[in-house]
Amino acid sequence: QLQASGGGLVQAGGSLRLSCVDSGRTFSTYVMGWIRQAPGKEREFVAGFTWSGGSIYADSVKGRFTISRDNAKKTVFLQMNSLKPEDTAVYYCAAKSGGIDYYSPNRYDYWGQGTLVTVSS
């Protein structure tokens, strides 16, 4: 029910905008986040919303990535600027049904299929 898109190949320093559409009933009752998994590495929290409506980011992307949402379209976005080769990963949107441990990927309950972002040097 979570469909991510927008990935692709970009040169270092470039930008991409990821989108995640919620086609189910998840959007209004969950907090949404973006999580990535680089080749050979564990899943890593990237950005997300909190229950109070704020946004939080991993230190590695602060100042470069921005999460936003369009409630009417049930869509969450991840604007990624100043991309680096180390940002290369499959990016997943995910939904969290409860708790305040926003930074642990395994605390998210529903996942989209992922979209691949490749940043060349």
Side-chain angles (χ1 to χ4, degrees):
Q1 293 180 334
L2 298 175
Q3 183 75 29
S5 61
L9 174 63
V10 63
Q11 289 187 331
S15 298
L16 282 175
R17 189 192 195 202
L18 306 183
S19 300
C20 175
V21 179
D22 178 9
S23 61
R25 287 177 283 182
T26 307
F27 204 74
S28 60
T29 58
Y30 294 79
V31 291
M32 303 295 292
W34 287 95
I35 292 159
R36 68 186 180 187
Q37 186 167 23
K41 296 187 177 181
E42 295 185 351
R43 289 184 175 181
E44 173 191 27
F45 172 84
V46 177
F49 292 104
T50 65
W51 291 111
S52 61
S55 54
I56 53 176
Y57 299 90
D59 288 343
S60 59
V61 307
K62 279 181 182 176
R64 300 188 298 122
F65 290 12
T66 303
I67 189 171
S68 62
R69 62 194 294 162
D70 183 332
N71 290 333
K73 296 182 178 180
K74 298 176 67 177
T75 302
V76 175
F77 303 99
L78 185 67
Q79 178 66 44
M80 305 186 296
N81 299 328
S82 303
L83 283 161
K84 304 175 181 180
E86 51 263 43
D87 294 318
T88 294
V90 176
Y91 284 72
Y92 300 89
C93 62
K96 180 176 174 62
S97 63
I100 58 173
D101 185 2
Y102 303 104
Y103 293 93
S104 296
N106 61 6
R107 297 299 186 184
Y108 287 78
D109 305 287
Y110 300 97
W111 295 73
Q113 86 290 356
T115 185
L116 176 62
V117 172
T118 304
V119 185
S120 62
S121 57

